[in-house]
Amino acid sequence: MIQSKITKAALMAGTAVALAMGVAQAAEKWDMPMAYSATNFHSATGAEFAKCITTGTGGEIEVVTHPSGALFKGADIKRAVQTGQAPIGERLLSGHQNENAVFGVDSIPFLATSFEDAAKLWDAAKPTMTKILDEQNLVLLYSVPWPPQGLYFKKEVNSVADMKGIKFRSYNNATSRLAELTGMLPVTIEAAEISQAFATGVAESMISSGSTGYDRKVWESLTHFYEVDAWLPRNYIMVNKDVWNGVSDANKNVIKGCAELAEYAGTWRAVEYTQFTLNGLRAGGMTVGPAGDGLVGELRAIGETMTTEWLEAAGDDGKAIVDAFKAAQ
Ligand code: PCA
């Protein structure tokens, strides 16, 4: 009896506190920079994630996405979130490979080449990524893969020799290294700017997903897409740790729930988008198909070189991730 009275009193007090807080707590607006076009599936997933948080927190935290690099360009998003210029943001994980090789684990050629293996590799890598990001004042919320990476050209290519001297658009260290090892000339360009780069001849080829080629209508400049399935890089969503620490437990739970949902939904979008976008490239007039055996063999040899280099650069942390991934296969 007594106990239930106490419980009731505690509940009432709790409600009073919650109401007072509700009144006192002004709604916060979180601007969320994203690097890719609004129509891209990562951006669509991010927009739903934002809505989920706004609804779930009853408007206490309103998340507003800014796709296409409109608020911060891809290369600047992590720094912006780390320093609190933006509370939350999305970035290509392997874009940070120059800070720490471990960030490039998802761009090791031919290590994880299917959605299933990419998920296993992420499971193996997530604790280490969470820790590295935490040390950089960032909280990892969720991560979604891109579809498998293939090669785009404006001519038929059957061997590495055919690539010599081609201007190649890169998006991280691994792609620049791939260009060097195939005799191409790497130039780093954000996805938001590739249509123009191809139209003006600043770049003539790239490795990317069918999704990015489709989003940027590359058939206006390029002619061939070779399915190589070299790797499936990931985007991830991060929050500034100080901002995160200021969020109530209830709202943290809402955000974590929304993040889980977004990771699941985004991953399925990536799977479904794969064939859809390859068909879109075909409809745009491109020749789309698997790379020939000769080319694949040469690329695999280059992949081995890159794997050795990565393992050297990523040290014990990197090796532990790859070992855990292989054990899970
Ligand atoms: N699209 C991104 C990264 C990987 C992908 O498929 C890009 O090309 O920038």
Side-chain angles (χ1 to χ4, degrees), residues 36 92 146-147 149 169 171 191 206-209 212 233:
Y36 300 91
L92 181 76
W146 288 91
Q149 304 292 288
R169 174 261 168 171
Y171 62 72
M206 66 172 173
I207 188 162
S208 193
S209 56
T212 289

Side-chain angles (χ1 to χ4, degrees), residues 56-72:
T57 63
E60 281 180 11
I61 299 174
E62 186 200 356
V63 182
V64 179
T65 57
H66 299 269
S68 296
L71 198 57
F72 290 98

Side-chain angles (χ1 to χ4, degrees), residues 6 8 33 59 75 110-111 124 170 186 197 199 210 217 278 307 323:
I6 290 170
K8 208 174 161 197
F110 306 111
L111 178 65
S170 62
K217 297 189 172 60
L278 294 186
T307 306
D323 288 349

Side-chain angles (χ1 to χ4, degrees), residues 124-169:
K126 200 170 160 183
T128 311
M129 295 301 175
T130 305
K131 185 169 158 281
I132 298 173
L133 292 168
D134 177 76
E135 285 161 3
Q136 299 183 336
N137 203 37
L138 295 169
V139 177
L140 170 69
L141 283 185
Y142 75 84
S143 167
V144 169
W146 288 91
Q149 304 292 288
L151 285 163
Y152 287 87
F153 294 104
K154 54 201 286 189
K155 65 171 190 179
E156 189 181 320
V157 167
N158 296 309
S159 67
V160 166
D162 290 345
M163 300 182 195
K164 201 172 163 52
I166 290 178
K167 285 180 256 171
F168 180 86
R169 174 261 168 171

Side-chain angles (χ1 to χ4, degrees), residues 32 51 59 79 83 85 103 110 125 145 169 178 212 297 307:
M32 176 166 152
K51 250 191 249 164
R79 179 132 303 275
T83 57
Q85 285 172 281
F103 284 127
F110 306 111
R169 174 261 168 171
L178 179 72
T212 289
T307 306

